[in-house]
Amino acid sequence: LKDDGTLQFNRRIDVACACIAAYSLPDNKTHNLIIGTHTKSLMIFTDKALVWSATVSAVPLRVAVSSFAGVDGLIAMLGDNGVLSTNYLGTDPANNPIQLLESKDLDYDAMDAEHRQLQSQMRKATTVGKAEPKDLIAIEVHGPIHQPGSRAATGLLMLQYTGSTPITDINITITASEPISPEQKSTVIPSLPAGESLNIPLSFAIDSEAGSTLPTSLLIELFVTYTIPTGDTLTSKTQFLAPLTLVGSVVPVIKTGNFKVQIDTNKDPPALSDLFTELADHPDLTPNIITFQYSGGGDASILVSKNGGRYRVQASSFECLWLMTSELVRRLKTHFRRDTPGLRIDFNDPLPLEEYHAMIDNHFDARANLTKANDALATVAAQFRAIQKRLLVKFRDRTPMPIASFETLFETTYRQLYASAEAVDIAQTALQLSCNGLSCGTHLILLLTRYKHQDTFTLDDFDAFKNCLTPNVVPLCSSSGWEETVDAMLTHLLRTTLSKSAKETSAPTAPLAIMTDTVKLKKHLALVLDRIAKGGNVADKAASQHGSTSSPRGGAPSSPATKSSRGGKQAAPADVPVEVLEAKRPKAAPPQQHTEDFLSLDNQGDSSLADAPSSPPTRITRLSPNGDGSGGLFSTAAAGAAEAPTFNDE
């Protein structure tokens, strides 16, 4: 109210009020109101603004503000429970207030040293991995040994578990390249008690449905996954080679061949019986010539020169050269691995690009034929379904009509449908064989390129080039087939690491599309090989310095063939060459020492166990520079393909 009694302002209180009191502020000019409510709270108003609210233990019946013991602003309250209390609003004051200290100059050197120390401690803490478990399985494989006169090879898998607690869910998986087929690809063992071992027979045979498929690799991979008591799943793996005689046999000498490659070495040639020891007693094996016939057809011969360390491999077809050439190089490296100076292998002839281009065209034509066969089958199938619908309509008609013409059309279309399905099946088989041949041919081109330019072509360069010109040929007829993918990869090389001008680097990238011919692919491949011959670096230098590892060429023997994904014991079968068993590589050695073995022939496009990184912990990984076997330094999405820029060399 004003002084004259008129209303100055009003404020509605939303709760039932129990008491009210006014108290003067320190300036003695204004007053605040303190109101107690039946909700056990005290509200303080300045004019009509609520400035404070607090909850109390009882409904206040009377409140007053006064001074007690020299402290101003205390609230005396009588509650409905008969308790008289003294209260105050706010928080307790600090007993030890912060004292202002004299400012000191900051020691930046000490601060920097402390910062470096903390960074070092954090780096060590983040790099320390999970402790390796002690309960591990050791894998040892004996054999496999080929039984003379049969198309099967047998071996023995020995699993030794030295842990203190039993393991469960043991799954053994075996993978091999066609036409090699394990008798049992997967085996499940429920549990294995602590400290016990297990012997499992292994058997491998030639797949009867493989037909004329040539082996792209003798490598067999065996994975063992199991669960330890903590619930973690661990993985151990090992690699070994199938016997050569499993995929073919030695036949009387054939001195002529349609396709030939010559390998030069710096060592006097040993007798072939010393290289192919398992065939030493064969009557058709001579000291200087051996002819091997594949189980799927085709043959390959190795001829040893009497003067100098020259070897000539000749075959009835270009793809038949691959396996015998790789076996020759691998066995030579095994034979001379302890010699000083080490073995050096060279390929001095021009690369057989004309024959390789013919294989590319054959594969491309097989893809086109399969596409046409699928289109024809789809057309005939649509026609057959339309005739069926018309016949159903006539059968449902209440007044049936003669269907003589429809019966003839139905039978004719059915014969066309059957013939089209057979044509698709034939085209698929042809594409499968062309994929197999192109894979073998690509392996051979990679091998010859590696040894032709080994003085300037480092292992990192070879890995990057192998990721681009991949030997993993999948039978696809879609827009992302082998030709489109490889052309995109090669175009990416010509635009990046092998570019010669800023114009090539800044050229736009086109999306992948189905190729109409292989002219651009063959041109880009020739350009890449030409720039490699001129000393071009395929691998990204920055990536090779920071992220890649490589082995010295012709490095020291490495024994473990069995790898545990979490650090398990490793065992090396005695009959597997040490180069094949090498799994980890130190940094690349100088080019003049580049005589490493990269020939263990993984069917998934890997050319060497020696070139493959070790598998990461607790995961089954394939021996591929990129982990999964299909990708690498350059991705298809980043590469571009169909309308790629044109590259010209002077």
Side-chain angles (χ1 to χ4, degrees):
L1 298 178
K2 296 182 181 179
D3 295 339
D4 57 359
T6 60
L7 181 65
Q8 182 175 0
F9 68 86
N10 63 350
R11 168 70 185 266
R12 178 181 176 85
I13 307 300
D14 296 330
V15 294
C17 299
C19 60
I20 185 172
Y23 65 94
S24 63
L25 297 179
D27 57 4
N28 292 323
K29 294 182 180 180
T30 57
H31 288 71
N32 282 352
L33 289 178
I34 180 169
I35 300 175
T37 68
H38 285 278
T39 58
K40 299 181 180 181
S41 64
L42 293 177
M43 297 185 294
I44 299 175
F45 289 87
T46 297
D47 288 338
K48 57 181 178 180
L50 178 66
V51 296
W52 198 275
S53 178
T55 300
V56 293
S57 59
V59 175
L61 300 181
R62 184 69 183 270
V63 293
V65 178
S66 184
S67 298
F68 296 91
V71 179
D72 297 332
L74 295 180
I75 302 174
M77 183 187 76
L78 176 63
D80 62 348
N81 55 0
V83 176
L84 180 64
S85 61
T86 303
N87 311 274
Y88 63 92
L89 304 177
T91 57
D92 293 327
N95 295 326
N96 299 315
I98 300 176
Q99 301 293 330
L100 294 178
L101 303 177
E102 296 181 1
S103 61
K104 296 182 179 179
D105 295 336
L106 298 178
D107 189 350
Y108 292 101
D109 293 336
M111 294 170 61
D112 187 54
E114 183 181 4
H115 180 255
R116 287 196 300 269
Q117 181 182 3
L118 293 175
Q119 279 188 326
S120 176
Q121 293 176 355
M122 289 187 292
R123 193 179 300 112
K124 292 179 180 178
T126 55
T127 54
V128 175
K130 186 178 180 180
E132 296 292 338
K134 298 181 180 180
D135 300 338
L136 298 171
I137 282 183
I139 306 175
E140 186 175 357
V141 177
H142 294 277
I145 300 175
H146 180 235
Q147 304 298 330
S150 68
R151 301 185 64 181
T154 58
L156 183 64
L157 169 63
M158 300 179 63
L159 301 180
Q160 185 176 4
Y161 176 57
T162 58
S164 57
T165 55
I167 55 177
T168 58
D169 299 332
I170 305 167
N171 194 338
I172 303 172
T173 305
I174 304 175
T175 60
S177 305
E178 289 186 349
I180 303 173
S181 176
E183 181 180 355
Q184 193 168 359
K185 296 183 179 180
S186 180
T187 303
V188 178
I189 302 173
S191 62
L192 184 62
E196 292 193 7
S197 60
L198 188 63
N199 296 336
I200 301 174
L202 302 177
S203 180
F204 304 90
I206 298 299
D207 190 357
S208 58
E209 299 180 357
S212 302
T213 302
L214 294 175
T216 57
S217 172
L218 297 178
L219 180 67
I220 299 175
E221 294 182 327
L222 188 146
F223 301 89
V224 180
T225 61
Y226 53 97
T227 303
I228 59 177
T230 59
D232 294 334
T233 299
L234 305 185
T235 300
S236 297
K237 68 177 181 179
T238 185
Q239 305 90 22
F240 52 94
L241 295 178
L244 180 62
T245 53
L246 179 62
V247 297
S249 59
V250 178
V251 297
V253 173
I254 300 176
K255 295 186 178 181
T256 58
N258 299 327
F259 302 89
K260 304 174 183 178
V261 294
Q262 180 174 305
I263 301 296
D264 299 329
T265 66
N266 61 342
K267 299 288 184 179
D268 293 333
L272 289 177
S273 58
D274 295 335
L275 295 179
F276 297 88
T277 54
E278 71 274 26
L279 305 174
D281 298 332
H282 200 283
D284 293 324
L285 177 64
T286 65
N288 298 323
I289 303 177
I290 180 176
T291 299
F292 188 81
Q293 187 174 39
Y294 299 103
S295 58
D299 59 80
S301 302
I302 299 177
L303 290 78
V304 182
S305 173
K306 296 180 180 180
N307 299 321
R310 295 193 300 272
Y311 304 83
R312 186 174 69 188
V313 183
Q314 60 188 28
S316 57
S317 62
F318 185 70
E319 56 267 27
C320 289
L321 291 172
W322 159 237
L323 186 60
M324 290 305 292
T325 304
S326 61
E327 278 295 294
L328 173 64
V329 174
R330 183 181 65 81
R331 292 171 187 256
L332 284 173
K333 288 187 171 293
T334 304
H335 184 79
F336 293 107
R337 66 180 181 272
R338 293 186 177 88
D339 285 14
T340 304
L343 175 69
R344 178 184 173 91
I345 298 176
D346 292 287
F347 176 73
N348 299 317
D349 297 333
L351 292 173
L353 292 182
E354 184 177 353
E355 294 83 356
Y356 185 58
H357 290 169
M359 299 192 69
I360 295 177
D361 291 336
N362 181 36
H363 177 261
F364 186 77
D365 293 340
R367 286 180 56 199
N369 293 335
L370 180 57
T371 301
K372 294 178 182 178
N374 284 327
D375 294 341
L377 178 61
T379 301
V380 177
Q383 178 180 334
F384 187 73
R385 288 193 297 270
I387 296 173
Q388 286 179 322
K389 291 179 181 179
R390 293 292 299 273
L391 288 174
L392 288 175
V393 171
K394 285 187 172 293
F395 286 144
R396 293 175 181 175
D397 194 354
R398 294 184 179 181
T399 58
M401 299 291 291
I403 58 171
S405 58
F406 276 101
E407 182 179 1
T408 303
L409 184 60
F410 182 83
E411 292 179 356
T412 304
T413 306
Y414 179 77
R415 294 191 190 98
Q416 292 178 353
L417 183 65
Y418 186 79
S420 299
E422 285 188 339
V424 169
D425 187 60
I426 294 173
Q428 287 177 342
T429 303
L431 179 59
Q432 187 70 37
L433 292 177
S434 65
C435 289
N436 176 252
L438 183 57
S439 179
C440 293
T442 305
H443 273 298
L444 183 62
I445 291 296
L446 291 170
L447 167 65
L448 300 181
T449 303
R450 180 67 192 93
Y451 285 112
K452 184 174 179 63
H453 309 297
Q454 61 180 305
D455 290 334
T456 57
F457 201 53
T458 65
L459 183 57
D460 291 328
D461 291 330
F462 174 76
D463 288 340
F465 184 52
K466 184 178 64 176
N467 290 335
C468 297
L469 188 65
T470 172
N472 183 22
V473 186
V474 180
L476 297 175
C477 57
S478 61
S479 60
S480 58
W482 183 87
E483 286 80 4
E484 289 80 9
T485 303
V486 170
D487 184 66
M489 297 291 190
L490 297 178
T491 303
H492 184 75
L493 287 182
L494 294 171
R495 293 178 63 251
T496 53
T497 56
L498 294 179
S499 62
K500 298 182 66 176
S501 63
K503 181 180 179 181
E504 293 180 353
T505 304
S506 60
T509 300
L512 283 177
I514 297 179
M515 300 176 65
T516 57
D517 54 52
T518 59
V519 175
K520 280 189 176 181
L521 171 60
K522 291 184 283 190
K523 181 180 179 180
H524 291 163
L525 177 60
L527 282 175
V528 169
L529 292 174
D530 181 66
R531 296 186 184 182
I532 289 175
K534 294 178 180 179
N537 294 320
V538 179
D540 186 359
K541 295 180 179 180
S544 63
Q545 290 176 1
H546 298 287
S548 63
T549 58
S550 57
S551 64
R553 312 306 195 250
S558 175
S559 59
T562 303
K563 281 185 157 304
S564 174
S565 64
R566 295 282 293 271
K569 295 184 179 180
Q570 304 178 353
D575 56 343
V576 180
V578 291
E579 287 83 3
V580 178
L581 305 179
E582 185 173 292
K584 292 187 178 181
R585 302 175 295 169
K587 292 186 177 180
Q592 61 269 19
Q593 301 178 4
H594 293 179
T595 57
E596 85 292 349
D597 178 11
F598 59 94
L599 284 177
S600 290
L601 331 178
D602 185 4
N603 186 39
Q604 303 300 329
D606 303 329
S607 55
S608 174
L609 287 180
D611 290 353
S614 59
S615 60
T618 70
R619 296 186 184 274
I620 299 178
T621 58
R622 294 174 51 203
L623 301 177
S624 174
N626 53 351
D628 56 337
S630 58
L633 186 59
F634 311 111
S635 66
T636 302
E643 296 298 327
T646 302
F647 302 93
N648 296 308
D649 273 6
E650 299 177 353

